[in-house]
Amino acid sequence: MAATLMLAIRVFRQRAYLSEKALLYSSRHDSMTGACNRAFLTELAEREVALARRHGRPLAVAMLDIDHFKRINDDHGHATGDEVIRQLVATCAGTLRSIDHFGRIGGEEFVAIMPETSRDDAVHCAERMRGNIEQLRVSTPQGTLRFTASFGVAMLTEKHPHWNALLNDADAAMYCAKNTGRNRVVAVDANLAPPATAA
């Protein structure tokens, strides 16, 4: 009887642990893609900013947005739009390192946080993600769909008082990429002068 009771308690505790773990995961990740949600990504970003400042290490951020996403939804439907997002997340996550973080901060906007990464390496990584996205194919009733994304890259400097300031620079660079042809990478230069194209 005692052994049976101990086994039952062990099973109950294991189920409770797994349930709590699943709940924590769902509270931190986007349900459709598994990418970090905005709140969790912000938590991770603020931690990485603090670590980078404390140890004097580089920290890069890439922000990306799917080009003409509204047109994809309008022409092919939201189910196809969802599949585009899922494929993009899987591709970008597969391109990044285990120490990097990738999250969805808006409908079709995403952010990659890259600790211990120089500006050149961050631009090269963003370019790899851009090229991998360009190679993706999504099957639709109207035929095969191809899509692209625009990227903005920014580096943490003393001119960024907090995470949002760094994110805003990456966002500005991304919109520069949008406004200068899309499907490209634009990086803020080292002293935060106006973004210069890098692809």
Side-chain angles (χ1 to χ4, degrees):
M1 176 71 78
T4 302
L5 180 59
M6 290 300 294
L7 179 60
I9 291 172
R10 183 182 301 171
V11 170
F12 174 78
R13 285 179 176 172
Q14 184 178 27
R15 287 178 178 174
Y17 167 76
L18 292 174
S19 178
E20 183 179 340
K21 188 175 180 181
L23 184 62
L24 181 62
Y25 181 89
S26 65
S27 71
R28 290 177 166 181
H29 296 84
D30 175 56
S31 60
M32 187 175 77
T33 65
C36 297
N37 61 29
R38 184 167 193 143
F40 186 45
L41 189 74
T42 299
E43 179 184 329
L44 294 170
E46 289 173 346
R47 184 190 71 189
E48 294 293 355
V49 166
L51 287 171
R53 290 197 192 285
R54 184 180 308 151
H55 300 292
R57 304 299 298 169
L59 176 67
V61 173
M63 187 168 181
L64 57 142
D65 182 271
I66 300 172
D67 296 325
H68 302 298
F69 187 69
K70 184 179 184 301
R71 186 184 301 169
I72 292 173
N73 277 333
D74 290 346
D75 293 349
H76 300 278
H78 289 278
T80 296
D82 289 349
E83 180 60 21
V84 163
I85 288 173
R86 280 190 289 267
Q87 289 201 23
L88 178 142
V89 169
T91 297
C92 290
T95 305
L96 295 167
R97 305 164 301 175
S98 60
I99 65 169
D100 299 327
H101 311 289
F102 190 76
R104 184 181 184 189
I105 64 168
E108 67 273 16
E109 290 185 337
F110 305 85
V111 170
I113 302 169
M114 295 173 278
E116 306 283 340
T117 304
S118 69
R119 181 182 184 274
D120 286 347
D121 286 344
V123 169
H124 291 153
C125 182
E127 184 58 38
R128 285 196 303 274
M129 287 190 283
R130 187 205 62 76
N132 290 341
I133 290 167
E134 191 176 29
Q135 297 302 313
L136 292 173
R137 303 290 184 270
V138 178
S139 297
T140 77
Q142 296 92 342
T144 300
L145 172 67
R146 299 174 60 181
F147 63 95
T148 61
S150 298
F151 288 73
V153 173
M155 298 296 300
L156 179 67
T157 74
E158 69 281 357
K159 296 182 180 180
H160 296 112
H162 45 67
W163 159 244
N164 282 337
L166 177 58
L167 184 64
N168 287 341
D169 270 348
D171 182 59
M174 183 195 73
Y175 274 99
C176 182
K178 290 273 189 189
N179 294 331
T180 54
R182 294 184 171 86
N183 189 26
R184 63 192 310 169
V185 176
V186 167
V188 178
D189 72 15
N191 58 13
L192 297 184
T197 56

